[in-house]
Amino acid sequence: MSATTTLTARALLLDMDSTIVNSEAVVERCWRRWAAEQGLDTDEVLKVVHGRQGWATMAALLPDRPMERNLADNRRMLEQETADTDGVVPVPGAPAFMAALAGLPHALVTSADVPLSDARMGAAGLPMPAVRITAESVSASKPDPEGFLKGAAELGFAPEDCLVFEDSEAGIEAGRAAGMRVVGVGDRAAAFAPTVQVRDLTQVRIEAHPDGTIAVHLTEGAPETA
């Protein structure tokens, strides 16, 4: 059985990886390579990489490691990820979802930098929002709320009027810390208590109201079968 929840907002703030763009294959390739170089358990590393900037993940995994090494490895990994778009595709429903947002207030809020976000959105064939908050835009990585707060400010809306779409623990924590409601996208998100969780963006329908509000209709649960 399925049920529909409707949330109303004035602006939407969208994470990129695993929320609108499926880049899991690239992320896994790059982080498995880095984990092997460090002698770390790759499966354990992959449990914590999602949502944060790379240097922040490295600092969490190797707390005694000099930050200069984390920053250097992060720069190298960003270059590798930007060059590797094999398997990067839109999350199911993302093209229609992004088309429905055309002309409505929305922003990309990602831990990727500008070149990586360009590469992945391009590979997935998705339009880049006019407002984009990237790694270069913030001083702190998710789960710090800075990125989402900046996105809301650039769009000109109060945090409580914004709705976040996220997949990761760090991202969902960041959205909540910003005082925003969070739609969790994908199975991973369900464990981190988003406001509402959907399997993918095929379960999301956007409706623009004349007063400027955006109704976001979310179908939870498995689709009904005949």
Side-chain angles (χ1 to χ4, degrees):
M1 296 293 292
S2 61
T4 299
T5 298
T6 298
L7 300 177
T8 301
R10 291 194 171 273
L12 305 188
L13 303 177
L14 316 175
D15 175 52
M16 183 179 69
D17 292 305
S18 300
T19 299
I20 58 175
V21 173
N22 182 347
S23 55
E24 298 265 344
V26 181
V27 170
E28 181 166 327
R29 280 195 295 271
C30 290
W31 280 100
R32 282 190 181 279
R33 186 162 52 236
W34 181 86
E37 291 171 357
Q38 310 308 317
L40 298 174
D41 184 307
T42 54
D43 291 332
E44 291 303 311
V45 168
L46 290 174
K47 290 178 182 178
V48 298
V49 300
H50 299 286
R52 296 180 178 88
Q53 293 186 41
W55 60 264
T57 295
M58 295 169 189
L61 290 165
L62 298 170
D64 298 326
R65 193 179 195 235
M67 185 55 72
E68 312 88 74
R69 290 187 61 193
N70 296 335
L71 293 171
D73 277 6
N74 184 58
R75 287 190 293 271
R76 179 167 58 96
M77 184 172 290
L78 284 170
E79 291 173 357
Q80 293 170 351
E81 290 185 290
T82 301
D84 184 358
T85 56
D86 186 27
V88 175
V89 295
V91 165
F97 174 72
M98 296 300 289
L101 293 183
L104 299 178
H106 67 289
L108 191 73
V109 181
T110 175
S111 293
D113 62 4
V114 167
L116 181 56
S117 57
D118 280 339
R120 287 191 175 160
M121 292 290 281
L126 297 176
M128 182 65 73
V131 174
R132 171 171 42 163
I133 306 298
T134 63
E136 297 95 334
S137 310
V138 297
S139 60
S141 171
K142 298 172 185 176
D144 191 281
E146 181 185 1
F148 288 123
L149 292 172
K150 281 198 168 186
E154 288 208 22
L155 291 170
F157 293 97
E160 60 267 25
D161 290 328
C162 298
L163 183 62
V164 168
F165 282 73
E166 263 286 1
D167 73 292
S168 69
E169 181 178 18
I172 291 169
E173 287 183 6
R176 284 201 303 256
M180 302 172 184
R181 294 157 297 158
V182 182
V183 176
V185 180
D187 293 340
R188 179 166 52 234
F192 308 121
T195 309
V196 181
Q197 187 258 343
V198 294
R199 180 186 64 249
D200 56 42
L201 296 172
T202 65
Q203 295 184 306
V204 181
R205 183 170 65 85
I206 302 297
E207 181 184 6
H209 289 169
D211 66 357
T213 59
I214 304 167
V216 181
H217 304 289
L218 304 144
T219 303
E220 304 172 79
E224 295 184 25
T225 57

